[in-house]
Amino acid sequence: MEKRIKGSCTTILVGKKASIDGSTIISRNDDGHEALDPERLVVVNPADQPRHYQSVISKVKVELPDNPLRYTSIPNSILTNGTWPAAGINSENVAMSATETITTNSRIQGVDPFVSGGIGEEDLVTLVLPYIHSAKEGVQRLGALLKEYGTYEPNGIAFSDKDEIWWLETIGGHHWAAKRIPDDAYVVAPNRMNIDDFDFNADDTLASDDLEGLIDQYQLNPDFDQVNLRHIFGSASIKDTVYNNPRAWFGQRYFTPDVEQDPMEQDLPFICHANRKISIEDVKFVLSSHYENTKYDVYGSGSEADKKLFRPIGINRNHDVHILQIRNNVPAEIAGIHWLAFGANTFNTVVPFYANVTDTPASYKNANGTFNLNDMYWLSCTTALLGDTDYDFYVDMRNSYELAAMSAYRKIENDTDADLANHDDVAAYLEAANQQLADEAMQRQTKLLGDMVIAGSEKMKLRYNLND
């Protein structure tokens, strides 16, 4: 099997009664091991979907149905290790984000080892999203594929439709468990196994057929009086206390500030409830965060040891942040919104692209390995790099840009929603709106970079006080 150095991500899920407008929201930072790895926003039309699929990494071959749905996708630009679609929304308004790399332990690996020729993150969106008509159906299709082909890595995968959100975690080589997220709840999931309390007989859970028996047969449960899948199949390592748990802690601290918790706590809850309704802007803030207003902030005033102690959520290895929103207060033709930003999340904004289209704007789909400021991926990465050189100096510019940009995007979205009934060719109408959104985003991101360059030039060390 081809080797790939794995990265790591952070996921946020928001049920429809927990969101500000009744939408379901699944979102994730798609992080890699390397700082830069160009990505694109594309639409995979049915004619472009493979029927005979072969993975680049594991070489697994999978025959696919001949009736795929259209879907949005965020593939890698450089395909050395395969497509890696990351996330998307299909034409039935079902969304999928794959994957959140999670943890495992030697007890389950001794029972059900990973399968070197199985399926993995490279493959999952391609194999599942074009063939499902609900979030629950996504869990069932992926579960069947895991049973048949196995997997070579542990992953968490999110599915959503207008009513439900499901979260599936792979267990060992062939097993899995999934839980429906309550409508009034949210989840912040870092790179560890996240599902805790689990009832195999509940209506809101699904699992591989023999998983419950496997736990009993091999005496895998360390608890006396509960079934906690994180305890049974996951980890509670020293790395978790500095790499994973603090990210869940900060997200939960932001959404539910009245709950006091320790950032290193191993048993931070999976299902949480916020003290207010959650907006897209809230989700983006957390997925861009670096422990603001704590001593752990990389850009803060804490000690050097504190600032380096915990892995932040917003990091130089963010390749994209996607927020997949399925709305309930609009017609189905415009319900799916694929919010997207590229690069490190400290100096960018998510843009609300309509998913019911057949093509995407050039500035979001043409990035490759060659640096080009006409591509949003490279423009966003450049802005974040400059901002990192003096965060305190540039952050007010970022804040002003973010407010103005998000306001402009929401105005375009509101106007587009309101005028839908006057257009017969919906796809063409939404593609024009997406182009307007992309142009607005490029103009505003370019202006931010220019303002930062102009202001920052006055602070260069290469200067002398006497005039010529």
Side-chain angles (χ1 to χ4, degrees):
M1 183 175 72
E2 297 279 341
K3 297 294 184 182
R4 181 182 190 273
I5 299 175
K6 290 301 299 291
S8 52
C9 311
T10 308
T11 292
I12 296 177
L13 315 174
V14 183
K16 63 183 180 181
K17 292 182 179 179
S19 69
I20 196 169
D21 65 350
S23 302
T24 59
I25 297 170
I26 64 174
S27 62
R28 182 169 60 90
N29 282 345
D30 186 16
D31 303 343
H33 179 269
E34 57 289 313
L36 296 177
D37 192 359
E39 292 185 347
R40 308 180 297 128
L41 173 65
V42 304
V43 174
V44 181
N45 292 294
D48 302 321
Q49 172 70 4
R51 270 55 172 183
H52 312 285
Y53 178 83
Q54 182 171 8
S55 168
V56 172
I57 292 177
S58 72
K59 312 303 182 186
V60 66
K61 295 181 180 180
V62 181
E63 295 299 308
L64 295 174
D66 198 31
N67 59 341
L69 300 169
R70 184 186 69 242
Y71 61 103
T72 58
S73 173
I74 323 170
N76 284 0
S77 298
I78 301 168
L79 302 179
T80 306
N81 293 305
T83 304
W84 292 75
I89 302 173
N90 72 23
S91 54
E92 291 290 313
N93 287 329
V94 180
M96 177 181 181
S97 180
T99 69
E100 182 78 30
T101 304
I102 61 172
T103 52
T104 184
N105 63 52
S106 60
R107 296 181 298 281
I108 182 58
Q109 285 298 301
V111 173
D112 183 18
F114 289 139
V115 179
S116 62
I119 58 177
E121 183 172 351
E122 175 200 345
D123 319 302
L124 300 187
V125 170
T126 303
L127 299 182
V128 176
L129 184 57
Y131 310 103
I132 58 176
H133 299 79
S134 70
K136 187 174 183 179
E137 190 177 330
V139 170
Q140 293 165 330
R141 175 169 174 80
L142 179 53
L145 290 168
L146 290 167
K147 181 177 180 180
E148 181 174 359
Y149 296 99
T151 184
Y152 53 83
E153 59 187 1
N155 283 313
I157 300 95
F159 298 95
S160 66
D161 54 42
K162 67 183 181 66
D163 292 316
E164 297 187 345
I165 296 173
W166 283 81
W167 175 255
L168 180 150
E169 294 187 326
T170 65
I171 295 169
H174 294 90
H175 292 83
W176 57 274
K179 192 162 188 172
R180 183 184 184 278
I181 307 306
D183 293 342
D184 63 349
Y186 74 89
V187 166
V188 180
N191 299 116
R192 61 171 300 172
M193 188 155 193
N194 291 282
I195 298 176
D196 46 25
D197 296 335
F198 197 82
D199 180 354
F200 283 94
N201 298 313
D203 292 335
D204 64 350
T205 63
L206 292 168
S208 45
D209 294 339
D210 61 339
L211 186 64
E212 186 174 17
L214 195 78
I215 295 171
D216 293 335
Q217 180 183 355
Y218 290 95
Q219 300 174 301
L220 299 176
N221 191 353
D223 294 316
F224 293 108
D225 56 358
Q226 65 174 332
V227 175
N228 182 313
L229 297 191
R230 190 187 305 165
H231 293 172
I232 298 170
F233 299 117
S235 62
S237 67
I238 298 300
K239 179 179 178 180
D240 287 326
T241 66
V242 295
Y243 195 84
N244 290 317
N245 306 345
R247 284 183 278 158
W249 165 77
F250 187 81
Q252 293 175 14
R253 181 178 186 263
Y254 180 77
F255 292 127
T256 319
D258 53 322
V259 176
E260 293 286 339
Q261 299 177 132
D262 188 309
M264 292 187 173
E265 169 62 45
Q266 298 283 21
D267 283 321
L268 293 170
F270 175 57
I271 301 296
C272 300
H273 296 84
N275 69 346
R276 65 189 184 281
K277 294 181 179 180
I278 296 172
S279 68
I280 295 295
E281 286 85 349
D282 290 327
V283 174
K284 172 59 166 67
F285 172 78
V286 174
L287 289 175
S288 304
S289 61
H290 38 87
Y291 306 111
E292 286 91 329
N293 291 335
T294 78
K295 64 182 180 180
Y296 310 112
D297 187 354
V298 173
Y299 297 124
S301 58
S303 70
E304 288 304 307
D306 284 336
K307 291 194 289 185
K308 294 178 180 178
L309 183 58
F310 297 151
R311 190 267 206 206
I313 297 175
I315 198 169
N316 67 324
R317 296 186 280 109
N318 299 145
H319 295 159
D320 80 68
V321 53
H322 52 265
I323 305 173
L324 308 183
Q325 179 187 27
I326 310 298
R327 301 186 291 173
N328 279 293
N329 60 346
V330 297
E333 295 95 326
I334 56 173
I337 303 293
H338 189 138
W339 295 81
L340 180 66
F342 292 124
N345 289 330
T346 44
F347 283 82
N348 62 18
T349 54
V350 283
V351 180
F353 292 111
Y354 290 91
N356 186 18
V357 294
T358 61
D359 201 1
T360 54
S363 58
Y364 276 77
K365 74 173 181 180
N366 287 342
N368 56 35
T370 300
F371 179 84
N372 184 348
L373 288 179
N374 293 314
D375 296 322
M376 179 54 88
Y377 177 85
W378 289 110
L379 178 59
S380 182
C381 290
T382 304
T383 314
L385 178 62
L386 179 56
D388 186 72
T389 64
D390 194 339
Y391 181 83
D392 289 340
F393 179 71
Y394 292 118
V395 69
D396 280 346
M397 296 182 203
R398 188 279 310 274
N399 292 343
S400 298
Y401 145 80
E402 186 171 25
L403 175 61
M406 288 295 289
S407 301
Y409 306 153
R410 286 197 175 276
K411 181 65 165 61
I412 294 170
E413 182 185 42
N414 289 335
D415 290 347
T416 302
D417 288 356
D419 202 37
L420 175 67
N422 295 320
H423 298 270
D424 294 328
D425 189 339
V426 173
Y429 175 60
L430 298 183
E431 285 166 17
N434 284 351
Q435 186 63 58
Q436 186 182 1
L437 286 158
D439 291 345
E440 187 77 24
M442 287 292 294
Q443 182 269 326
R444 289 183 178 276
Q445 188 84 33
T446 301
K447 184 179 185 304
L448 173 62
L449 177 60
D451 290 346
M452 291 167 65
V453 169
I454 293 168
S457 295
E458 298 293 336
K459 293 169 61 64
M460 289 178 64
K461 295 179 181 178
L462 192 64
R463 64 188 181 196
Y464 197 71
N465 291 332
L466 294 179
N467 293 325
D468 291 334

